[in-house]
Amino acid sequence: MGVRPIIGLLVAAVLPLSGCAATVAPAQSALSVPDAKVAPAVVSTAPVRTIKITSIKTTNTTKGVLTVVGQITPAPAPRTRVSLQRWSSKLRKWEEIGHGVTSGSSITIPPTLPGSVKTYRLAINSQAPYAGAVSPMISFSHYVFRGLFKKPLLAAGGKGHPQFTVIPPSEGPRRAEAELLADRRGYVWGDIDTTGCRGVRTWLGNITDGTVRVSLLNGAKVVGSVDMKQETETWLTRDVRGINRLRFQVADLKSGYGPIVAVDALALCTN
């Protein structure tokens, strides 16, 4: 008799605890939701391909060949097309000026272009699983030989009926040929716009009956000079960097009827 009340009390005590345990489960489920929110999410990223210009240089100053070499990582499929683009300040957009196909992870593109100072980049289209990519921009001065008289003479003059005659485009499309002459004891000169140029290379033919002097001048300073005897030919080549107005002059030293010199002149320029 004395034991039963104790058992009853134990049962009564256990039953409320079982009821409490049944109400805890939902609370624990609710607490599990914030834990899920703070767990790091799985982020899926597409593979990245990079492309860059590793070399850009003028490889033929006569023809105007500009050779651009690039590196692509990781290497694309063999013979993937890559575009060489140049920024057009006039059109305000990138223009393709050449293209090539890959060999491994490298690309070489050698377009032929006139002299210029421009900004370039390489571009490769998307190729699974990689998106398209462009290289960082590179500015480059492309120096190419062109006719010295491509731009009109800034001025001309001299003494003794001077004549500085540039051969017209119909007869001399290179704009490199001219004929200079004056009377006996006279001279003739012409000022040339050499902005953007770094050198001149001139063939000279003296077709008069005496000795003449051919000179290149920067203002009053002589940049280069050569004396030519009767019916001879020679070359006059000089660095003209920093000279925006170059004077080309022929003077009579000793002749019977005055200087007559045929000229075939090229300038190494970016324009």
Side-chain angles (χ1 to χ4, degrees), residues 46-70:
V48 176
R49 169 167 283 152
T50 60
I51 181 171
K52 64 180 179 179
I53 294 174
T54 57
S55 173
I56 180 169
K57 58 185 177 180
T58 303
T59 52
N60 189 317
T61 55
T62 301
K63 294 181 178 180
V65 179
L66 173 68
T67 300
V68 179
V69 179

Side-chain angles (χ1 to χ4, degrees), residues 1 25 28 31 33 39 58 71 160 199 211 218 227 255:
M1 294 280 304
Q28 289 174 340
L31 289 172
V33 175
T58 303
Q71 188 76 24
T211 303
N218 179 19
D227 291 355
S255 70

Side-chain angles (χ1 to χ4, degrees), residues 179-259:
E179 187 175 85
L180 285 70
L181 61 90
D183 292 342
R184 183 184 177 194
R185 298 178 183 173
Y187 63 94
V188 55
W189 58 263
D191 284 352
I192 301 159
D193 184 354
T194 50
T195 304
C197 302
R198 69 180 190 188
V200 296
R201 186 175 68 191
T202 306
W203 174 89
L204 304 166
N206 178 17
I207 52 179
T208 192
D209 64 341
T211 303
V212 300
R213 176 171 295 162
V214 182
S215 304
L216 301 176
L217 302 100
N218 179 19
K221 181 180 178 181
V222 177
V223 177
S225 180
V226 61
D227 291 355
M228 302 180 66
K229 295 187 178 299
Q230 177 180 346
E231 297 179 354
T232 59
E233 60 184 59
T234 190
W235 291 87
L236 182 57
T237 300
R238 288 295 185 274
D239 187 325
V240 297
R241 278 176 283 197
I243 301 175
N244 296 330
R245 190 182 183 111
L246 181 71
R247 175 161 293 190
F248 200 108
Q249 180 173 287
V250 172
D252 182 32
L253 293 183
K254 185 178 181 181
S255 70
Y257 50 81

Side-chain angles (χ1 to χ4, degrees), residues 76-178:
R79 298 190 63 78
T80 295
R81 188 184 192 278
V82 177
S83 169
L84 174 61
Q85 300 175 345
R86 184 175 66 186
W87 176 251
S88 171
S89 55
K90 180 179 179 180
L91 300 177
R92 305 298 298 171
K93 68 176 185 178
W94 290 97
E95 295 181 303
E96 181 175 293
I97 56 170
H99 68 271
V101 293
T102 58
S103 174
S105 61
S106 65
I107 179 70
T108 300
I109 307 175
T112 299
L113 304 166
S116 63
V117 180
K118 297 288 184 179
T119 301
Y120 302 87
R121 73 179 188 182
L122 293 172
I124 182 172
N125 292 330
S126 59
Q127 185 182 75
Y130 300 95
V134 296
S135 71
M137 301 176 293
I138 288 184
S139 294
F140 182 72
S141 298
H142 181 43
Y143 285 90
V144 179
F145 277 110
R146 52 120 170 127
L148 184 62
F149 310 113
K150 178 182 177 181
K151 295 184 177 182
L153 292 178
L154 298 173
K159 173 186 173 184
H161 299 96
Q163 296 181 47
F164 196 123
T165 305
V166 177
I167 306 303
S170 57
E171 300 176 36
R174 294 186 304 121
R175 311 299 291 141
E177 299 160 85

